Amino acid sequence: MKSLVIAEKPSVGRDIARVLHCEKKTPTSIEGDRYIVTWGLGHLVTLADPEDYDKAYKEWNMKDLPLMPDPFQLEVIRQTGKQYQAVKVLIHRKDVNEIIIATDAGREGELVARLILAKAGSKKPIKRLWISSVTDKAIREGFAHLKNGHEYDHLYDAAMCRAEADWLVGINATRALTCKYNAQLSCGRVQTPTLAMIARREADIRAFVPQPYYGITARSFSPALTLVWQDRQSKSTRSFDRARVNALIENMNRQPGTVTDVSRTPKKQPAPQLYDLTELQREANRRFDYSAKETLNIMQRLYENHKVLTYPRTDSRYLSSDIVPTLKERLKAISIGPYRKLAGRLSMQPIAANPAFVNDAKVSDHHAIIPTEQFVQLDHMTVDERRIYDLVVRRFLAVLCPPYQYEQITLQVDIGGELFTAHGNITKSAGWKEAYDQSTFTYSEDTYDASDEDSFGSSGTNNSDFADSRTDSSIRSQSLPDLRKGDLLPSLTVTRTEGKTKPPAHFTEATLLSAMENPVAYLESHDKAVAKTLGETGGLGTVATRADIIEKLFSSFLLERKGKEIHLTSKARQLLELVPEDLKKPELTADWEMRLSHIAAGSLSRSEFMSDIRSYSTALIDDIKSGQGQFRHDNLTNTKCPVCGRRMLSVKGKNSEMLVCQDRECGHRETISRTSNARCPNCHKKMELRGKGDGQIFVCRCGYKEKLSSFQERRRKEGKGVTRRDVANYLNKQKKEAEEPINSAFADAFAKLNLRSDETK
């Protein structure tokens, strides 16, 4: 008899098959003497669409709502149906006596396998492979310690409740809004609060009134020294009272300064914490302008293909104690290239389970992202992969180093009875900062300086919020002269400094991820219990879904980018006026996630949770039906659709501008311009590709323009390896993307929708 192993993806399946010595290959599986390894392509089975319950639901009618399937039906995803049928045949083979679930170790990974087994009607015993990396060693150890699959039944229940609840709320609310306002409007318990947070930030920016503020600096040229005035009572380095500042300067003019105190304080700064996925996505966005989705995709390749990093979809920044004995082996694996010296030295020293990065209580499904024991070949990585790998490895090395130790020197000077200060640091021991020494790497497009300490903040807060709440930028570390208490500074130049308070910054993907992870500031209830739940459950969405949520908001034309900034579109602002208030609040997700965690722990039943969700969905539809708002397209152009003749809508996606026919049944659209991967030869920024056919032209923000034909010829002469076929493949990929559904989540449903009004998008 044999065991059937179901992996989540082909690449992982092939790795498992190799470790298990399976050699008989077919397009859908690999078989050996004891095991048969097959795989999904992500999800193969999903919850059925409304029309699968009743053909009448193909037409979207308000009178049919709310839709309440009981029980829910499953359907095979059409695009992956062939693979599902192959897996089903293997499940029911007579020589297969057990199923080993080897999908990703988490809630959604559990759902992938369980839906396949449920749809196939399998009753065979199940076991569970639960590993955090796909190295040969991890796979062998995982198979040596397989768990009873039914130990994860509660996790499966939680996953099914999440899927069914999102179906009930998302499908019903989307259909209700679409029917009510005759426009393509979708909402959900995560994407809608995310939009609401952005709307609130934009409202704060519009309402902000800048205020002028003033400060005082005193400069000495011999010795060279810059001092900053500090109010003795408030300790602030600025004042909003210009007259007071002017009077102080007048009083201090031509007066010497007296050193009243020189303090030397030893300080220690611990290393920044290890990465979870969200923090890694934030830093990659800050450093390289990668989107959350791009970072996740790069991480997946480093995890699945190169096998040099551990499981990416983790929300923990700590390691479990069982990982500590493996750290030396991981250090030896990364003892190459720029990491050789430090990693080699650390591997020769004893490694203790430091509570700063080892804490079993703070590791749920997966530990923080760290290197694996797999030998690394940096020259096999792309530039993007190397960048992300470098971030993870240096952070890993940093936490294994001692703290950065320095002496902080604070100088206080009295000038005319007013207090002035200056600060300076003297490094005593570089500690963890050694992991970032000599770490400037020049890539083909730009330069990355890993010593930039702005990225080492671990709080996940938005540092671009109200500027007037921050310490004055003129207070910074400087090289201080050797002065003692009582010394005089006879020649001082006292001047007034001026500035204006700044509004909050617009969200970027990095700061939006932070807000989604910690949306407590956007709670309306100010309930401490709710805030605590959001903190414990990871905020809006999960580390595995936030990137897709942001991408969906862009592809639905609810968000647009202006440089790095994220802005709401008119469509999003109108949607927030029409959607029920409850769906805009992070409190809804807090309640759901708290109860889902109880289901996963076995302390709450599925039936109780789903009963409440059905009641909530009914109330939601009643709220939408009674709404009095209106929706109006304000992006209509005078360009006529070449297919149906209706006026087209001008829309901005994340990386493109398009004309879209307002008639959803027609579905015609044209790409006006798209951000390409082609780099400007002058400024090396990505260029836009505009136009159609032979008339296409690359345009850069710096003003550079180049015809597509000229670009192809230039690249050929430069010997960059870009052939006509490469360019053709690139253009075909663009065309394919342009023909894909606008809304991935509800694309099929909307494609069947027959809305004839000019207000349909």
Side-chain angles (χ1 to χ4, degrees):
M1 302 299 286
K2 297 183 178 182
S3 300
L4 176 66
V5 181
I6 302 178
E8 190 158 331
K9 295 179 180 179
S11 58
V12 178
R14 287 191 289 268
D15 291 332
I16 293 174
R18 177 171 44 77
V19 173
L20 298 179
H21 306 294
C22 301
E23 298 179 351
K24 183 181 178 182
K25 297 181 179 180
T26 73
T28 57
S29 64
I30 307 175
E31 187 169 348
D33 295 334
R34 292 182 53 197
Y35 299 96
I36 307 168
V37 181
T38 188
W39 46 80
L41 301 170
H43 279 279
L44 300 182
V45 178
T46 188
L47 296 179
D49 290 328
E51 52 267 32
D52 294 321
Y53 296 93
D54 190 328
K55 297 299 182 184
Y57 294 154
K58 284 186 177 180
E59 299 293 330
W60 291 31
N61 293 308
M62 188 72 86
K63 63 180 179 63
D64 295 327
L65 303 179
L67 303 174
M68 294 286 175
D70 191 14
F72 276 88
Q73 296 178 15
L74 301 177
E75 68 176 4
V76 177
I77 297 173
R78 179 171 52 85
Q79 294 89 335
T80 56
K82 182 178 179 181
Q83 180 65 20
Y84 166 76
Q85 294 300 332
V87 175
K88 181 180 177 181
V89 169
L90 293 172
I91 289 172
H92 292 292
R93 263 179 50 169
K94 292 183 178 180
D95 61 340
V96 170
N97 66 335
E98 68 174 5
I99 311 294
I100 299 175
I101 296 175
T103 48
D104 286 351
R107 190 169 73 184
E108 289 306 304
E110 193 70 21
L111 189 63
V112 168
R114 294 296 191 104
L115 290 182
I116 294 172
L117 297 177
K119 183 64 176 175
S122 173
K123 302 296 182 183
K124 294 182 178 179
I126 57 174
K127 290 183 179 179
R128 189 55 159 105
L129 175 72
W130 195 272
I131 55 178
S132 292
S133 62
V134 288
T135 63
D136 291 5
K137 179 181 178 182
I139 293 171
R140 282 193 295 269
E141 290 181 352
F143 270 88
H145 301 89
L146 289 173
K147 301 178 183 292
N148 185 328
H150 292 292
E151 291 181 18
Y152 298 89
D153 284 349
H154 292 313
L155 184 65
Y156 169 51
D157 288 341
M160 280 302 297
C161 282
R162 195 278 309 156
E164 291 175 359
D166 278 338
W167 193 102
L168 289 172
V169 172
I171 293 290
N172 280 301
T174 295
R175 287 198 170 206
L177 286 167
T178 300
C179 294
K180 174 74 175 180
Y181 300 106
N182 220 9
Q184 181 185 326
L185 301 173
S186 65
C187 62
R189 53 107 186 176
V190 175
Q191 70 176 45
T192 310
T194 301
L195 290 176
M197 291 193 302
I198 300 171
R200 181 167 166 181
R201 173 62 61 85
E202 291 187 350
D204 288 341
I205 294 171
R206 289 192 299 270
F208 186 83
V209 178
Q211 289 182 278
Y213 61 84
Y214 310 93
I216 307 172
T217 60
R219 286 184 172 84
S220 169
F221 296 97
S222 181
L225 178 65
T226 299
L227 298 159
V228 177
W229 169 76
Q230 187 174 20
D231 188 280
R232 291 187 185 273
Q233 290 186 339
S234 67
K235 304 302 180 184
S236 175
T237 60
R238 61 178 63 176
S239 171
F240 293 97
D241 188 342
R242 178 172 180 169
R244 181 195 175 201
V245 170
N246 287 340
L248 289 174
I249 293 174
E250 182 68 24
N251 181 58
M252 288 183 287
N253 259 338
R254 294 179 297 278
Q255 291 198 34
T258 303
V259 178
T260 59
D261 186 57
V262 180
S263 64
R264 297 174 178 269
T265 308
K267 296 275 188 177
K268 287 185 179 181
Q269 184 183 27
Q273 287 181 286
L274 293 168
Y275 287 117
D276 62 6
L277 177 59
T278 301
E279 178 62 19
L280 183 61
Q281 289 169 323
R282 277 195 292 260
E283 185 147 340
N285 181 257
R286 285 192 294 260
R287 290 191 184 281
F288 314 121
D289 199 22
Y290 292 161
S291 70
K293 186 67 173 178
E294 286 174 323
T295 301
L296 177 56
N297 289 341
I298 296 167
M299 269 297 305
Q300 282 294 134
R301 296 199 298 270
L302 291 168
Y303 166 67
E304 293 180 4
N305 301 340
H306 296 282
K307 303 176 187 58
V308 294
L309 295 182
T310 55
Y311 185 70
R313 291 179 171 88
T314 175
D315 60 358
S316 177
R317 304 187 68 178
Y318 291 85
L319 302 178
S320 52
S321 54
D322 62 312
I323 299 297
V324 175
T326 71
L327 295 183
K328 285 196 175 184
E329 192 172 353
R330 297 170 195 268
L331 284 168
K332 291 176 182 177
I334 62 173
S335 296
I336 59 168
Y339 323 115
R340 183 191 306 274
K341 181 179 177 182
L342 181 57
R345 191 177 79 233
L346 290 172
S347 68
M348 302 299 291
Q349 300 172 358
I351 299 176
N354 189 330
F357 64 91
V358 179
N359 189 329
D360 290 335
K362 293 187 177 182
V363 179
S364 52
D365 293 339
H366 298 283
H367 56 69
I369 300 170
I370 59 173
T372 66
E373 305 95 328
Q374 183 79 17
F375 174 72
V376 180
Q377 293 179 287
L378 296 177
D379 57 338
H380 288 188
M381 296 182 189
T382 65
V383 169
D384 295 335
E385 291 167 350
R386 173 70 194 279
R387 286 172 170 168
I388 299 300
Y389 180 75
D390 184 74
L391 289 178
V392 174
V393 169
R394 292 188 183 278
R395 186 63 62 90
F396 174 66
L397 291 171
V399 300
L400 297 177
C401 291
Y404 164 56
Q405 298 182 48
Y406 61 99
E407 187 177 60
Q408 184 181 77
I409 304 173
T410 301
L411 188 67
Q412 294 186 357
V413 177
D414 183 285
I415 307 176
E418 293 296 321
L419 173 64
F420 282 74
T421 61
H423 299 278
N425 294 336
I426 298 176
T427 298
K428 296 298 184 181
S429 173
W432 63 265
K433 289 197 173 187
E434 187 179 352
Y436 294 91
D437 283 348
Q438 300 177 339
S439 55
T440 299
F441 298 98
T442 301
Y443 294 106
S444 58
E445 289 99 3
D446 60 4
T447 300
Y448 158 49
D449 184 359
S451 63
D452 178 7
E453 294 178 24
D454 288 344
S455 64
F456 294 149
S458 60
S459 65
T461 57
N462 178 11
N463 294 326
S464 299
D465 280 354
F466 295 93
D468 55 336
S469 67
R470 299 181 298 207
T471 304
D472 193 286
S473 61
S474 59
I475 295 183
R476 60 188 64 185
S477 180
Q478 59 181 301
S479 179
L480 299 180
D482 186 15
L483 295 173
R484 291 176 173 79
K485 185 176 180 179
D487 286 351
L488 289 178
L489 300 171
S491 302
L492 292 171
T493 302
V494 181
T495 57
R496 185 185 70 222
T497 59
E498 298 182 13
K500 285 187 177 181
T501 56
K502 297 180 180 180
H506 284 280
F507 278 117
T508 64
E509 281 209 39
T511 56
L512 182 57
L513 283 167
S514 296
M516 293 176 72
E517 183 182 45
N518 185 24
V520 173
Y522 299 88
L523 294 177
E524 294 185 9
S525 64
H526 302 292
D527 187 313
K528 292 184 178 179
V530 172
K532 181 181 178 183
T533 298
L534 279 172
E536 291 175 348
T537 58
L540 293 175
T542 66
V543 291
T545 61
R546 288 188 194 113
D548 287 329
I549 290 164
I550 294 174
E551 290 296 315
K552 180 183 176 183
L553 292 174
F554 277 110
S555 65
S556 301
F557 308 120
L558 296 169
L559 296 180
E560 60 182 348
R561 288 185 68 172
K562 295 180 181 179
K564 275 194 171 186
E565 296 177 352
I566 293 175
H567 293 253
L568 292 181
T569 63
S570 171
K571 178 181 178 182
R573 285 189 287 271
Q574 293 186 76
L575 173 62
L576 289 172
E577 292 294 325
L578 303 175
V579 76
E581 284 295 319
D582 200 39
L583 266 183
K584 295 188 284 187
K585 299 177 182 178
E587 285 89 338
L588 179 63
T589 285
D591 176 63
W592 282 27
E593 288 298 336
M594 178 175 63
R595 302 181 72 188
L596 289 173
S597 65
H598 290 163
I599 294 171
S603 57
L604 179 68
S605 68
R606 274 191 61 180
S607 59
E608 182 180 350
F609 176 80
M610 290 309 301
S611 176
D612 290 345
I613 293 297
R614 292 175 187 276
S615 299
Y616 174 74
S617 299
T618 301
L620 201 63
I621 299 309
D622 292 339
D623 192 346
I624 294 174
K625 286 180 178 179
S626 61
Q628 300 299 316
Q630 291 183 339
F631 183 87
R632 181 180 64 85
H633 283 302
D634 58 4
N635 57 343
L636 280 170
T637 69
N638 290 323
T639 303
K640 297 291 184 69
C641 174
V643 178
C644 69
R646 295 186 175 217
R647 290 167 66 189
M648 300 183 76
L649 303 170
S650 174
V651 295
K652 290 184 178 181
K654 185 175 182 181
N655 297 305
S656 65
E657 293 185 29
M658 307 176 71
L659 290 175
V660 179
C661 181
Q662 61 179 289
D663 187 343
R664 179 68 192 186
E665 187 175 356
C666 171
H668 178 75
R669 53 182 167 164
E670 301 172 3
T671 299
I672 301 173
S673 68
R674 179 183 293 272
T675 301
S676 71
N677 287 323
R679 297 279 175 168
C680 172
N682 293 337
C683 67
H684 305 293
K685 300 292 185 182
K686 290 183 178 180
M687 297 189 291
E688 283 189 354
L689 183 61
R690 299 177 181 175
K692 300 179 183 178
D694 295 335
Q696 291 182 93
I697 184 172
F698 286 104
V699 179
C700 181
R701 282 175 289 177
C702 73
Y704 179 81
K705 296 181 180 181
E706 185 176 24
K707 289 183 178 180
L708 174 61
S709 57
S710 300
F711 169 80
Q712 294 171 336
E713 180 63 21
R714 176 170 62 84
R715 295 293 285 177
R716 185 186 65 79
K717 289 180 179 179
E718 289 174 353
K720 297 295 185 181
V722 178
T723 65
R724 290 178 181 269
R725 178 178 295 179
D726 294 329
V727 177
N729 289 339
Y730 171 70
L731 296 177
N732 287 334
K733 181 181 178 182
Q734 283 189 322
K735 181 179 178 182
K736 182 179 179 181
E737 290 176 353
E739 292 172 353
E740 289 177 349
I742 293 175
N743 276 331
S744 58
F746 298 104
D748 292 339
F750 273 117
K752 303 165 188 173
L753 178 61
N754 184 15
L755 290 176
R756 287 293 186 178
S757 168
D758 284 351
E759 296 302 316
T760 304
K761 178 178 175 181

